[in-house]
Every structure is written in structure tokens, then in C-alpha cells.
Amino acid sequence: MSTSTTPALQGPLTDDELRRLDAYWRAANCLTVGQIYLMGNPLLREPLRAEHIKPRLLGHWGTSPGLSLLYAHANRQIVNRDLNAIYVTGPGHGGPALVANTWLEGTYSELYPSVSRDEDGMARLFRQFSFPGGIPSHVAPEVPGSIHEGGELGYALMHAYGAAFDNPDLVVFCVVGDGEAETGPLAASWLSNVFLNPARDGAVLPILHLNGWKIANPTVLDRIPETDLVSMMRGFGYEPHIVAGDDPTQVHQQLAATMDTALDTIQAIQAHARTTGNGDRPRWPMIVLRTPKGWTGPHEVDGTLVEGTFRAHQVPLPGTRENPEHLAQLERWLRSYRPEELFDATGAPVASLTGLAPRGTRRMSANPHANGGELLRDLVLPDFRDYAVPVPQPGEPVREATRVLGEWVRDVIHANPDRFRLFGPDEVASNRLGAAFEVTDRAFAAERRDGDDHLSPDGRVMEVLSEHLCQGWLEGYLLTGRHGIFTSYEAFIHIIDSMLNQHAKWLKVTRHIPWRRPVASLNYLLSSHVWRQDNNGFSHQDPGFIDHVINKKAEVVRVYLPPDANTLLSTMDHCLRSRHYINVVIAGKQPGPSWLTMDQAVLHCRRGVGIWDWASNDTDSEPDVVLGCAGDVPTMETLAAADLLRQHLPQLKVRVVNVVDLMRLQPESEHLHGLPDSEFDTIFTQDKPIIFAYHGYPWLIHRLTYRRTNHHNLHVRGYKEEGTTTTPFDMVMLNDLDRFHLVIDVIDRVPGLGAKAAHLRQAMVDARQKCRDYTREHGEDDPRVVEWTWPNP
């Protein structure tokens, strides 16, 4: 352990190694500055002029020198140890540094041949950065070797651990920015080592880069006493090693020695665990690197200190086109790296630099784990039909859909012991997926005590009370070529809204990068949903995650609302076979009717939307009204309403339409799954009233269908932010989604029906009131509602 900040002049690097390593770092820094500033004269073959400078200076210099320093030293370790390693960049604004390193080691030019390793290619490299038609300033999907953009801070460490799970020979160098370290998700991420099994998983080497500043403020972890910082890291289960200084020679030697020690420790930990089979939590190494923000850049600008301050965060010399002194200072800055020593007459890196980088797929920018689709193998999936609920007639038997699914998920886990995990924030059993524990445990490498339930380092169920960690781990797992499901309560999946945004953007962009291979889909199974929160109440009632997902690009999102156990089995089998999507599946965990046989369920899920003939009475004629539904509880209420209409208005022609794939409601011009207008009009008619019972906020259905011919006749019932701790039927009544209100809607909307059905309408109003009174008196729903079943012959 190295906890002293006193620099050592001696170290493991010979003079020649030190010289070459420093030259590589200088080359990366020079290329980084060039990307931020230059659109011409990349090798400074002539004096720098204003026309060589970009008109809009964008990018971030402050964190970049540290990122390049660590990248160069990681490369040394890869070469010396033949490591299989990737690099996760928490300070995403250091994008130009990572681009520079991938160009230096050749991968960038291999994937983008026009950005060749010569003067012309260097000019293109510089011009494209943060330039219209070019590349973003973050470590975006376009950057080889990236699985983490870092544009939104807080997720680097959880992505790194997700990548390490089930990758026993992988080392993930994870740089955590000190600003990023202040976020809630990153603060929780330090606990990830509790879930890492050294006998089976890879390793993460966290490197906390303390350069001291954010955009305009000091960073908290830089300003607390170092003893407190060391204690904090030790409390999280790490052995911290401190590297600090502003003299490159001394820092190179310190960092080389410290990385040697850290990787020796990792190898010893893994060797012990794999020899003994003991997967208990060790004390893993981590590094704290203290170097100046904007290191090697302008020390002062216009008499104001820049290097080592927040002023180095973005563009230290903002006025180079207009200010001759700034232009001259920029030229001195670039020439301080001595580019004539680093690049030959053609503009290519000199041989002494290219010889330092790893070869082939050992390069972090070419490692297939950072392009996970290259490693992706199909899951071995048991035939979901073997888990079917026998349905002798619609509505029977009553089953808990997610419990039925749990038996299939159990066997998916058993059949795929190295590439599938189930993630959930302490809710796997609560969401009725407890069958998984028949074949595995919850992953847990910390202390275990008598009375614990299914805890072991070998567990494949990842449970931690943090939606952020579940999401981030799964993203890292998927992006490195594996599969998984994230199960959560519906209301609290909102916690990761912004993380979903970032993953959806990643999928959208990578679909159009030819060398990026598709990865397995991110699958959400949301249960404990809005309509059944009997003991939790209003705080747990929010179906708006669907709305959030549908805001994303249609090419990457799918939303499914299976109405029973058999449709849920078919849907989840489809989702686990899919690639490069975000699939959201919402299904209740409470007992509910089984509507379709497995054969019917498979056909219905393939269609995504369909007329349920057995529930309709409009065969060979136009309906008077269409009853649409999406979601398990809305489906039940819709069918109960259809039953009431059959009993009391037998002459009324009713068509029942169930939607399992919500995207089918959109036109095909808006979504790949969208129904053509002709087909939509055939199902929903062009002129008949549509009473639609929907699981979530009703306005989403209007948004999805606003272009349809018959939209003006569409009337949607759904959740309208009315809720409390109450009975299931009282909950649907609070939101006017109940069967009685749906019948009232039919009476009010079908032309000419109002006066004829006035008595029925009044009876429906009275029925609602009686049910309300019953719950208030007895504390449970009226048995006439609870015991209702579909009337089969």
C-alpha cells in the first residue's frame, strides 16, 4: 500500500521506458489540444494563423491529461502482463483524449480509414471533433473501445462492474472523476465489490482522479482530509493507493509502481479464490490520482492562473481567433509537446511510440468486450410452451402471471450459467420470481449469517436496494455481450429515467455505426403495478414509465402489456431473443384470470393486437362499439363490461380488441411495429365509438393514435392520478376504469343508445356507489365483483 504523497524519484521505469512513456503521453496531449482548437496546420509546419483555428471552440481540456496518462500506463500493464482489459472513462468530457489514444494505437484509422495515421488523417481527426457533421465531445459510441459515454455523470463504476461479472479474465480500468464522485449513483457504486466473486468474475481497478475542480467549484473529495478519504475507501472495502504530484517524471514512476502493486494484488486475490474456491469478498485495490486540472496546459492566461484551477475545465484559451496573444500562446502550448519528435515527415506516430501500444485485440480500443455484440451468444431458452397454463375456457384458471413466468426464468438461469443474470432492487421474490432461488442464490460476497436467505458469492440474482446499480450493472453486462432481465416495481423504475435515456441514445447511435455489433436487448419486467398497490398506496402508483420510454426513438423501444400468464411467457421469450432494443413488459403479480390458451397467446402476441372473437358478438357485421384494452386489469374490466352489455343490451354489437404490443397503435410511418391505416381501420372501424381501457395515463393512447381516421371517436380511460391505499376495485373506480363506468361510456357514446338505455345507465351509477359503500363498510371489495368470471357456456 502507498498512502504517502511524498514522491519517489526512483521507480520501476528505466530511463528509456520513462522517456518513451512520457513521449506517448505528450503525443496524446498534443493530439487532444489539436482536436479542441485546430482545423488546419495540424503539424505546425507553418506559423499558426487565425484561419487555422475553429470558429467555435468546444471540448474539455481539464480532465484530458490525466485520462491520457492513465491510458498510457494501462497500456504498459497490458503489454507486460498480456492483460485482457478495457477502459471506462467516467469524466466523459475527456472525449478528445480517448480519441487521441485510439488514433495513436491505430484502431481509429482501421475503423475510419479516412482518418488515417498521417498528416491528412490527423487534419481530419482534428477538424471532426465537436464540429458539424463530426463527432461529439464525449467518449461517445463512435469512439472505439467505449462502453460508457460519460455525458451524464455517475455511472462509470457500475458499468465497469457489470462488464466484469462473468468475465473471469477481464480487467476493467475505471476512471472516476472527482466531480462524478459527488453523484448519488456513483456513491452507491463503491458497494459493487460486495457482489463481485473473485473466483468467477473479472476485476475492476477504480482510479479516482482528483484534479480538484468541477466547472466552477472545488470538488468535495479533493477538499476533505486525505485521512478521511482513505478511511472512506477502506470502509467501502478497498485498499487505497495514493499517487500525487505535478512533476511528470515523478508521477510516471509513482503511477507505474502503484499500478504494478495493484495488479499484483488483483492477480493474487484471483489466484487464491480460484485455487481454494473461496469467493468471499477480499479487499480490492483502488488508486487515488492527484494531478493538476489542465496539467501541461497554459499556466496563466491574461495574468490569471489557469492550470490547476477550474478555468482549465473547458477551453483555456477561448479567444485565439481574435486575440493575437492567445494565438501565440496556443502555438507555444502545442510546440511544448515537441511534435517534431513524435510524428514523422508523413505525420504518422514515430516507431518508438507505436511500439508501446498493445497489439491486435489486446488494444483497449479494439478489445471485443467493448463491442459486446462480437462476443454475444444466443441464450439456451427452454420452450416456454412447456410452462403453459392450461385454459379450458376463457377466464379459467386464476394464476399469478409472474409466478408462472418465474418457473421459466428459473430454467433460463440454469441453462445459461455464464451469460444470463436477473437484476432487481430487493424485489425478485416480491414480484413472484422466487422460483429462481431453486437453482441459484443472490450474489453476495460479504459476511453471511445464519438465517440469511439464498446468499452466496456464486449467486446469479443481483439484488441491491438501488435501481441505479441494477440498471448500470445490467447495462455493463449487456454491452459486453451478455443477457439479462431487470425486474422492478413499476412506480420506482422512474428512478433510472435518465439512465434509460442514455442507454437508448447509445442504442440509437450504434445502430448506425457499421462496426458496432448489436447487443442483447435491455429487458424490463415491471410488476407491482399501479392497479394493485393494496398496502402501499398513492406513493406506489405511477404508470408513467411507459410515456417516458415512448419518447425515445421508435427504432429502439418496445412496450408490451400481456394480459395473462401465457401471453407473458410468449412475450418474454420474444424479448430475450431480441437484439438492440429496450423492451418494457408490464405484468401483474396478483392472481388474475387466464384468457388465452398457449396457441392463442402465441398468435395474439405475434399480431400484437387482435379481436377476441370469443368475447365479441359482431361476427359478420359491423360493431356498434369497439371495446379496446391494454393491460391485465383494464382487460379484465373491459371483459366484465362486455358481459354486462351482453346481459342488458343483447342487441348491441360489441367488438373486443386487446392490445399486447402498444406500438401497434402507431402508424407504420412512426414505428416499425405500427399498423397500416387500412388494418387499423379494419380492426377499430372508421366511424364507430371506441371505448379504450388502458393501463397507464390515457393521453398516451391519444398521442399514439392522433393520426388515425377514427381518432375523434376514441375515448380513453386510464390512470388519472387518483389513488390511495384501498381495494383493487375501488382503485379502478377512483380512475373511472371500472366495468360500470365503461358501460356508462358505451351508453353515452353510441348514437341513439342514451335514451333507450337510461335505466341501465342509472343502474351502473348505482352499482358503483354500492361497491364504494361496501368497501367502506367491510374493508374489501364486494364479492359480486371479486367472484365475477367470464360467462362460458
Side-chain angles (χ1 to χ4, degrees), residues 486-524:
F486 181 1
T487 182
S488 177
Y489 284 13
E490 182 185 36
F492 299 131
I493 197 66
H494 272 300
I495 292 170
I496 55 84
D497 276 0
S498 61
M499 294 186 74
L500 176 135
N501 289 348
Q502 298 302 316
H503 191 71
K505 292 174 188 295
W506 183 278
L507 295 180
K508 185 264 185 187
V509 172
T510 53
R511 286 180 73 89
H512 305 285
I513 298 176
W515 56 268
R516 285 280 185 186
R517 301 274 72 84
V519 297
S521 297
L522 173 53
N523 301 303
Y524 294 97

Side-chain angles (χ1 to χ4, degrees), residues 12 14 353 420 430 480 523 590 596 635 781 793:
T14 66
L353 295 187
F420 177 85
S430 174
T480 48
N523 301 303
Q590 302 293 347
L596 303 180
T635 295
D781 283 323

